[in-house]
Every structure is written in structure tokens, then in C-alpha cells.
């Protein structure tokens, strides 16, 4: 059972996985919620800069060595990449920063999607904001409306940047099994970042298992938020009785149960929960030490 001392548990409790040649603790940190306290990508107020930088530094103290970010994670006054750079540079040798290209937002917040020719500009934007000479992992994020289309041109553009040394490893996000296979025919793929959590479809579950069989990390987003999506846990439906029952069994929060369930889906599954709250950060990381029983997993899967 977890106790109030859970904040002393660090990210190593979740075990490790290797992204290409980069070893990371299986529970990391997602930067999306650093820039504003309300729903991500909204017109709401920006987050407190000092608080966000404290969260980032505390994450490193708690053993996080895998941070997920993107240049399009920004609010009117805050940029996730800039916060990461200001809080953590010079970066620890073992810190892996994963970013995404494909989507973009103009200063007013309007979304755009990069052509293959525009991908290099997005990579360079991330490099500049993060203050790095290369990116550890770059995920090609695919629009939901394009999940039946070829990704060859975009992956090919990223593969060229990998050969040039601007990118170390490639990943693919919001993808299908067919697109993953196409991408792997062009360049090595070290991770898949898709929406996944309790209640995901059999198709999603099959892709997760397939990634494990191929030695590819599966990195769910919205594992805690579920139906809430960008709005967070408060934006979804009420918590299920099953999750609440397991949480009571362990003396933890429903969010910790959801993260623990995610990590139990396979040794290749990573978690990147995001928060702008130092207390929630410690709880998220402590979820890596929650061990669910087979009966509890069956209950949650039901």
C-alpha cells in the first residue's frame, strides 16, 4: 500500500527501457501542461513561470530522465521548450528529450500541418528553443484525418535529418500499424506515441502488443486524462467504480491507478504524465511503484 511518503519514490521504481541507444526510466514527464493551468491549447491564462521551472527541476531530482515536449506547446506567455531550456540547461548527460513535428501553431494559436519540405524548419525551431545541437528523439505526429494516408515523404525528410546528425532517433505518433510498417521500411523507429489508456479499443491493444514484439517503445498520451483529453482529468466523465476500488485497495489516487495500469501493459510501455503541480508530479512518479495484482488488472480490463 502506498502512503503519504510516496513523494520519496523516484522514477527508477518503474524500471527502464531503451530508446535506440538511450536508456530511460519508464515513467517520464510530459511538458504539455507546463504552460497554462487550464486546458492545454486554450485561450486561458498562462502558468506561473517559477512554478513550472520548479516542477521541471523537481522531476529531475525524482529521477526523471525522459521529457516529452513540442514547439507547439505554448500559451500567450509561456513556451514549454523555453521553460525546459531555462530550468534544466546545461542538460544532464542521461536526460532524453523527445519532441514532435508535423503540427504547428502560429502566434495566435491557429493550427497548421507541415509539409515534408517544412519539417526541417520545425526541427530547427525545436533545436533553437531547447538550445541543443541535436534532438534525441523526434516523433512525426500524424493528423487524425490522415491515418489512412502514406507517411513516406514526411518520414523520408526526417530520415535525411537523422543522417545529417540533427536527429538521433525517430518515432511516430497517432499512427496505425500500416503507417508504422511503412515508416520502418524507410528508417528505424524507436517509439510509437498514441492515445491509450483503460478502455482502449482492441485495435489499440493490438498495436501496443505489436510494438513490444518489434522492440519498439509504446508511449501512451492521455493515459490519465482519458476522455478529458487536452482538458485533463477534470474534463472527462466521472471516474469508474473499478478504478476507485483499486485505488482504495492501494491507498492511492485514481490517476496513480491509471498510470500503474499503463505500466503493467508491457515492459516496453513508457508513461509521460504531465502536470504543472509539484504535488501531482510526486504522485505521478510514485505510481511507478504501484504493483497491481492479476485480479486487479482483470477488473480494470473489464
Amino acid at each position: 500500500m502506498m502512503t503519504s511518503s510516496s513523494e520519496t519514490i523516484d522514477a527508477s521504481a518503474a524500471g527502464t527501457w531503451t530508446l535506440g541507444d538511450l536508456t530511460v526510466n519508464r515513467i517520464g514527464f510530459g511538458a504539455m501542461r507546463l504552460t497554462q493551468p487550464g486546458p492545454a491549447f486554450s485561450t486561458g491564462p498562462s502558468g506561473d513561470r517559477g512554478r513550472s521551472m520548479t516542477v521541471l527541476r523537481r522531476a529531475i531530482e525524482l529521477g526523471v530522465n525522459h521529457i516529452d515536449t513540442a514547439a507547439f506547446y505554448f500559451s500567450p506567455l509561456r513556451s514549454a521548450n523555453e521553460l525546459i531550456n531555462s530550468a534544466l540547461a546545461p542538460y544532464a548527460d542521461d536526460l532524453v528529450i523527445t519532441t514532435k513535428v508535423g503540427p504547428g501553431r502560429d502566434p495566435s494559436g491557429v493550427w497548421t500541418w507541415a509539409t515534408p519540405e517544412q519539417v526541417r524548419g520545425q526541427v530547427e525551431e525545436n533545436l533553437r528553443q531547447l538550445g541543443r545541437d541535436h534532438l534525441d528523439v523526434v516523433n512525426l505526429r500524424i493528423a487524425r484525418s490522415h491515418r489512412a494516408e502514406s507517411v513516406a515523404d514526411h518520414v523520408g525528410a526526417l530520415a535525411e535529418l537523422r543522417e545529417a546528425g540533427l536527429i538521433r532517433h525517430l518515432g511516430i505518433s497517432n499512427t496505425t500499424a500500416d503507417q508504422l510498417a511503412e515508416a520502418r521500411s524507410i528508417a528505424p523507429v524507436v517509439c510509437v506515441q498514441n492515445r491509450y489508456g483503460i478502455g482502449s479499443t482492441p485495435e489499440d491493444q493490438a498495436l501496443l502488443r505489436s510494438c513490444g514484439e518489434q522492440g519498439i517503445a509504446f508511449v501512451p498520451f492521455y493515459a490519465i486524462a482519458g476522455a478529458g483529453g487536452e482538458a485533463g482529468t477534470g474534463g472527462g466523465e466521472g471516474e469508474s467504480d473499478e478504478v476507485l476500488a483499486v485505488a482504495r485497495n492501494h491507498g492511492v489516487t485514481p490517476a496513480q491507478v491509471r498510470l500503474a495500469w499503463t505500466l503493467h501493459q508491457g515492459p516496453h510501455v513508457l508513461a509521460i504524465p504531465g502536470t504543472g503541480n509539484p504535488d501531482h508530479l510526486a504522485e505521478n512518479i510514485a505510481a511507478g511503484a504501484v504493483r497491481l495484482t492479476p485480479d486487479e488488472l482483470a477488473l480494470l480490463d473489464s
Side-chain angles (χ1 to χ4, degrees):
M1 179 177 291
M2 303 291 291
T3 69
S4 60
S5 63
S6 62
E7 65 269 19
T8 62
I9 297 171
D10 73 23
S12 65
T16 62
W17 184 259
T18 303
L19 294 170
D21 60 347
L22 304 170
T23 300
V24 297
N25 288 323
R26 290 179 59 218
I27 194 156
F29 179 80
M32 185 178 72
R33 302 196 184 280
L34 285 177
T35 64
Q36 52 195 144
F41 314 128
S42 72
T43 58
S46 297
D48 180 85
R49 176 179 170 80
R51 181 181 172 93
S52 295
M53 292 177 67
T54 296
V55 167
L56 283 163
R57 289 169 177 154
R58 182 59 176 152
I60 300 301
E61 291 172 357
L62 289 172
V64 168
N65 59 3
H66 175 212
I67 294 178
D68 177 82
T69 186
F72 55 82
Y73 289 173
F74 66 83
S75 64
L77 298 179
R78 304 284 176 257
S79 154
N81 281 354
E82 187 276 328
L83 289 167
I84 292 167
N85 189 348
S86 297
L88 303 181
Y91 300 109
D93 291 341
D94 68 340
L95 179 61
V96 174
I97 299 179
T98 298
T99 189
K100 290 172 284 296
V101 298
R105 295 166 70 211
D106 69 19
S108 68
V110 174
W111 288 95
T112 60
W113 289 87
T115 66
E117 294 74 24
Q118 293 170 329
V119 163
R120 183 185 181 105
Q122 290 188 329
V123 168
E124 291 175 342
E125 180 182 24
N126 280 281
L127 287 168
R128 182 176 62 255
Q129 292 177 352
L130 290 167
R132 306 198 75 171
D133 61 4
H134 74 279
L135 299 174
D136 295 323
V137 182
V138 174
N139 283 305
L140 172 65
R141 181 65 172 266
I142 299 163
R144 284 190 290 268
S145 60
H146 292 176
R147 297 184 80 194
E149 298 182 9
S150 171
V151 296
D153 290 344
H154 284 83
V155 174
L158 290 173
E160 291 179 4
L161 297 178
R162 177 176 172 269
E163 291 297 322
L166 296 182
I167 299 171
R168 193 160 180 173
H169 298 294
L170 301 183
I172 190 166
S173 176
N174 210 35
T175 191
T176 65
D178 288 343
Q179 289 173 328
L180 173 60
E182 182 182 38
R184 293 188 74 216
S185 72
I186 298 169
V189 173
V190 301
C191 59
V192 165
Q193 190 180 100
N194 273 23
R195 186 169 188 154
Y196 191 85
I198 293 174
S200 288
T201 67
E203 180 184 12
D204 294 332
Q205 295 164 12
L207 181 57
L208 181 149
R209 290 192 299 270
S210 175
C211 285
E213 293 164 359
Q214 298 174 78
I216 298 170
F218 190 90
V219 191
F221 59 86
Y222 299 153
I224 295 178
E230 290 89 347
T233 53
E237 300 175 357
E239 191 54 86
S240 72
D241 291 340
E242 293 82 1
V243 171
L244 292 173
V246 175
R248 286 192 297 269
N249 288 347
H250 289 268
V252 300
T253 67
Q256 287 175 304
V257 169
R258 288 181 173 272
L259 284 173
W261 178 90
T262 297
L263 292 168
H264 277 69
Q265 300 309 297
H268 67 298
V269 179
L270 312 182
I272 48 169
T275 182
N277 183 313
D279 294 331
H280 290 167
L281 169 72
E283 289 180 356
N284 289 344
I285 292 172
V290 177
R291 301 294 183 257
L292 303 178
T293 68
D295 287 346
E296 289 171 336
L297 289 169
L299 177 66
L300 294 171
D301 288 340
S302 69

